[in-house]
Amino acid sequence: MESLLSLLPFAFICLLFPPGNSFTVIMSDSGGPSALVDAPQNRLSTGNNLIRTDSQEQEAVYDIMRATGNEWATEIPDVCRGRWHGIECMPDKDNVYHIVSLSFGALSDDTAFPTCDPTRSHISYSITKLPHLRTLFFYRCFTSHPQPIPAFLGQLGSSLQTLVLRENGHFGPIPSELGNLTRLRVLDLHKNNLNGSIPISLNRIAGLRSLDLSGNRLDGSIPGFTFPLLTVIDLNQNLLAGPIPDEVGSCRSLIKLDFSRNRLTGVIPDSIGNLTDLILMDLSHNRLLGQIPSSVRNLVALQALILKGNPMGPQMVIPDSGFDGLKSLMILVMSGMNLHGSIPEVLARLESLRVLHLDRNRLNGPIPTAFKNLKNLSELRLNDNLLTGPIPFGREVLWRMKRKLRLYNNSGLCFDSSNGLEDDWTDSYGPSIGLCKSMGSGPATTVQRVSESYGDVGPGKEYLPSSSTTTIAKRLFSLGLIQFSAFLLLNSVLL
């Protein structure tokens, strides 16, 4: 899937956090009034002895650092003036500095957050003694000493805006007390071992912008969240069951919706059409049934639609008009969905389309001729269907897609002699695909009168060469109908 996402604009990639090397963006304060003064941290290095860190918060930081195996911090006389990466401080009007951000874990070789001792690290209760804390970030800190997410984090409701507990090995349920974090903007619990249901108490966090609970073992149904400011919701790779709630359509600010690799059932709700800012929707590898709702055409900003691996039902067809409004769509993946019927012409009108996967279905009929007009198409999978008729592409399409064009296991497909594909055709496109018959369709060798292209060579003469002009020239040379030098010239020009 990462190769597909690489096709999206760079700004969008930054928002989607592609798997493997991405992390939640820490958002700045956009909430209510604060007792702190927004000011550059370099004021801490001015040598002003009046600048100091709140003493109680400093002791709390010492406890937190000891709990993660970073005892060295207790030797720093002023933690804000010490200025290590992973701690951020801000002053109040009395020039007293308060801790607003703590981050732990080696994100990369270039990011020097304090690391955690894997054998004994834990989250200290002293975090609750940091009343101005806005950001708390732990990454891969407790994998050798797994523990539940502490319920006392809910006591930070007056200040905390970003909570990231990513790939830490946390187990057990998500504490319902996290619903008390009513100023939270980002909640990221990606890739732990959390189980149980998603607490409905999270619905109290009205200002939530990003919710990532992916890569856990959460079960139950998806709550009917109604977050008006939510831009990202990622619940992929869990054990969630039941229907997609209609309320998802009320999250009108969404740009990414990922419910893939769960056990969701029922139909795609018509309310999906309300998400007019949506850029990526991934519902793949669930147990969804029924037709794609016609409201999908309202998703005018949609760039990636991934529905593969849903059974959808025996009467599922690609809707003739359901994709009309998707002018921005770049990726459409509908593999293995038990699709029947023909490929509609409407797909050829998606001018931005770059990746189209319709493989492993029951599609029949021809590949629409208008597909040759998809100038941006760089990856096409139509293999393992029941398609018939001539392939509408020319050499330039083969050269552009190369092995990303997959047409094999369609016994009725063939390529027309006028396309000049024979010299460029490889088994990776479709090993069973040959030339179309001159009359009718189906893989066979072209029957062509030589007189049609090269003048009469005798009444009723017919030959069975391939469509390649060089191959025809070789046949004519063997019959003595052209001179060797002329054959070499023709061969060198056309190769």
Side-chain angles (χ1 to χ4, degrees), residues 152-169:
F152 59 70
L153 293 180
Q155 298 180 33
L156 297 169
S158 63
S159 63
L160 199 64
Q161 297 178 31
T162 297
L163 177 60
V164 177
L165 304 175
R166 194 177 178 95
E167 298 184 40
N168 286 311

Side-chain angles (χ1 to χ4, degrees), residues 314-385:
Q315 304 302 318
M316 174 63 181
V317 298
I318 302 174
D320 287 332
S321 58
F323 297 104
D324 273 345
L326 307 184
K327 302 303 183 185
S328 300
L329 194 66
M330 299 168 64
I331 297 171
L332 178 59
V333 179
M334 300 176 67
S335 310
M337 293 178 60
N338 199 30
L339 297 174
H340 286 64
S342 59
I343 301 174
E345 291 277 345
V346 66
L347 298 185
R349 296 197 290 271
L350 302 177
E351 297 179 355
S352 300
L353 201 61
R354 298 188 184 184
V355 173
L356 177 60
H357 293 180
L358 299 175
D359 53 293
R360 296 178 289 110
N361 285 296
R362 303 283 294 174
L363 297 170
N364 56 39
I367 301 173
T369 304
F371 267 33
K372 64 184 178 182
N373 299 324
L374 291 171
K375 302 302 182 184
N376 294 314
L377 196 63
S378 60
E379 184 171 328
L380 176 64
R381 296 183 186 177
L382 299 176
N383 54 284
D384 297 285
N385 278 289

Side-chain angles (χ1 to χ4, degrees), residues 2 5 12-23 166 256:
E2 291 178 12
L5 291 178
F12 179 44
I13 297 292
C14 294
L15 289 170
L16 295 193
F17 322 126
N21 57 357
S22 56
F23 302 93
R166 194 177 178 95
K256 176 189 176 182

Side-chain angles (χ1 to χ4, degrees), residues 92 103 125 200 205 218 297 353 451:
D92 60 21
S103 300
Y125 181 79
I200 192 64
I205 312 174
L218 300 171
R297 68 165 65 96
L353 201 61
S451 60

Side-chain angles (χ1 to χ4, degrees), residues 222 241-248 257 259 264-269 271-272 281 283 286 288:
I222 299 174
I244 299 173
D246 285 333
E247 289 86 349
V248 72
L257 185 154
F259 292 165
L264 301 177
T265 55
V267 300
I268 301 173
S271 63
I272 286 287
M281 179 163 67
L283 304 177
N286 280 288
L288 300 174

Side-chain angles (χ1 to χ4, degrees), residues 395 415 419-426 435 465-469 471:
R395 285 181 171 182
F415 52 85
N419 287 353
L421 297 181
E422 185 186 10
D423 287 347
D424 300 291
W425 199 259
T426 71
L435 290 171
S466 69
S467 64
S468 167
T469 310
T471 304

Side-chain angles (χ1 to χ4, degrees), residues 24-27 61 64-65 68 86 88 99-105 113 122-128 130 132-139 141-142 149-150 152-154 156 159-166 168 170 178 181 184 186-189:
T24 303
V25 175
I26 296 174
M27 297 185 175
V61 170
I64 295 164
M65 295 296 281
T68 56
E88 294 182 19
I99 288 83
V100 297
S101 176
L102 286 175
S103 300
F104 297 88
F113 292 161
H122 65 278
I123 299 177
S124 171
Y125 181 79
S126 291
I127 282 177
T128 62
L130 302 177
H132 302 282
L133 191 66
R134 299 177 182 177
T135 296
L136 185 61
F137 188 104
F138 284 95
Y139 171 64
C141 274
F142 318 112
I149 296 175
F152 59 70
L153 293 180
L156 297 169
S159 63
L160 199 64
Q161 297 178 31
T162 297
L163 177 60
V164 177
L165 304 175
R166 194 177 178 95
N168 286 311
H170 292 299
L178 297 190
L181 303 175
L184 209 60
V186 174
L187 178 58
D188 186 342
L189 307 179

